[in-house]
Amino acid sequence: MIKINNLTKYYGDKLLFKNINLDIFSGEKIGIVGSNGAGKSTFLKIIAGEVEPDSGAVKTTGKIAYAGQIAEEFDLNNISKDDFITFLKNKNKLNLNIEKLTEFGNLSGGEKTKLVLSLVLSQDVDILLLDEPTNNLDATGIEWLINEINKFGGTALIVSHDRSFLDKTVQKIIEFENGKLSVFDGNYSSYKNQKEFNLNSNKKEYEHKLIENKKIENQINKLNNQAEKIQRSAKKVDIKTRRLPGFKTSIEQKVSKIESQAKSKQTRLEKMQNALGERPYEEGEIYYKLAADNLFGKMLINIKNVSKNYGQKIIFDNINLTISNGEKIALIGDNGSGKTTFIKMLLNETNFDGQIIKNLNIKFACLSQDAFNYESSLTIMELSREFGDLQTQFLTNLINMGFRREMFSKKISTLSSGEKMKLKLNELILGNFNFLILDEPTNNLDISNKIFLEKVLSNFKGNCLIVSHDRAFIDNICTRKIKIENKKLIAIN
């Protein structure tokens, strides 16, 4: 069990969360969601005992295993001999090369993630704390992880932006938003439905209160106008009438009565305003504008009898594929199956046997996992000047992606991976490309950015080739799925 009392944490002068109280019971599987920088990872680290809160306390019962986002931070020396033996039994399911374990620094991101997760899940623990565990995992690895979490009998807290993964693993969602924590029963899809219902209900209630407040304000103004009108009318009466006994008293009584009514309504209005609360929080709209140069003709790319090998290793063996105008294709396959090589062949960045015939008017734009090829000493503002007449649009897009104006003076080298990814996405937004090649574009993006990117790519009039292990992302965008398996391209219905 995990008991959290009055937990507060700042990051510098930024409040992450304040006075959190929460009980997490044995056996619960909980997903943790929220925008980048909301405090999700810090929350896990506090529970793991790696970060101290500014105030409050966390009490845990049982042994804890924690796997953070960066595999290099994992301490291999903490693994017992028995746990390592269990790990060795699991490693074949993950296609790990055990001979490479002594060269941890040379492993790929996917191999490091698989190694750390397998080691963590091999331990005899009561509480699992996993931070973005599906990052760098291929479809096989994700399915393995889903099965392992579902078999785990203890408590699991999982930070993830993978909606499909959360739907299959958790029964409760904790949301960090705008400095507050909210708890929702059910998986991710259930949480989204509840959140949308709550937001609409809260907006209606808030708007109703605003209408009631305005109604009282109008009544107060009307009463004040009546009092002023009576006083003005009294001054217009001739002097003889004004000197009549009781005239002044009568006017004062009428005005006093009206002012008393106005004062009573003013008191009521102040109470209603105090009870109004904050406007229901909605995430800012993220603006992506992708324009595409027109392409004419039905067939864009025709791959004929293509083979590719690196030395003795065969990557593709006599593959054939036709890509038609307007298609959005998901290219899927296990890590190491040849997805990156396939992209390089399309872009003529590697040699191959066979033919790839392309429409002469194709204008490719490629966003890869390692495409942050910016001069690290540049600030965001200095980078924006390279876009000439589009500088204002470049900066406006960044603001709508969640950047703050004061960030424009920051050096690119100090940005997070997610922020650098957004810079690269912004380049695609401003270019008139008609064929986008996106290699794991959702890595390091939070869910709100993923959802809006989905909408924009769905409405994009050009073609897309998307390499991604985020099932929900490709299901919401792609019109066709191609899997690389056994050195061939296989169409998936």
Side-chain angles (χ1 to χ4, degrees), residues 153-171:
T155 302
L157 272 67
I158 307 167
V159 172
S160 180
H161 297 307
D162 189 323
R163 292 155 289 174
S164 177
F165 172 76
L166 290 174
D167 270 344
K168 295 177 180 179
T169 53
V170 305
Q171 296 81 45

Side-chain angles (χ1 to χ4, degrees), residues 135-181:
N135 270 6
N136 301 310
L137 287 185
D138 53 29
T140 300
I142 291 174
E143 285 302 319
W144 168 83
L145 182 58
I146 289 170
N147 291 332
E148 291 296 312
I149 291 173
N150 288 334
K151 287 191 299 184
F152 177 62
T155 302
L157 272 67
I158 307 167
V159 172
S160 180
H161 297 307
D162 189 323
R163 292 155 289 174
S164 177
F165 172 76
L166 290 174
D167 270 344
K168 295 177 180 179
T169 53
V170 305
Q171 296 81 45
K172 185 178 286 186
I173 295 289
I174 292 176
E175 176 195 59
F176 284 85
E177 182 180 68
N178 200 28
K180 297 178 181 179
L181 179 149

Side-chain angles (χ1 to χ4, degrees), residues 1 6 9 72 109 113 117 127 143 151 157 256 264 343 348 354 359 372 390 402 464:
M1 178 176 175
N6 298 319
K9 183 64 181 177
E72 285 84 345
T113 300
L117 287 173
I127 300 171
E143 285 302 319
K151 287 191 299 184
L157 272 67
S256 177
S264 175
I343 290 173
N348 293 325
N359 186 307
F372 309 140
L390 295 175
C464 294

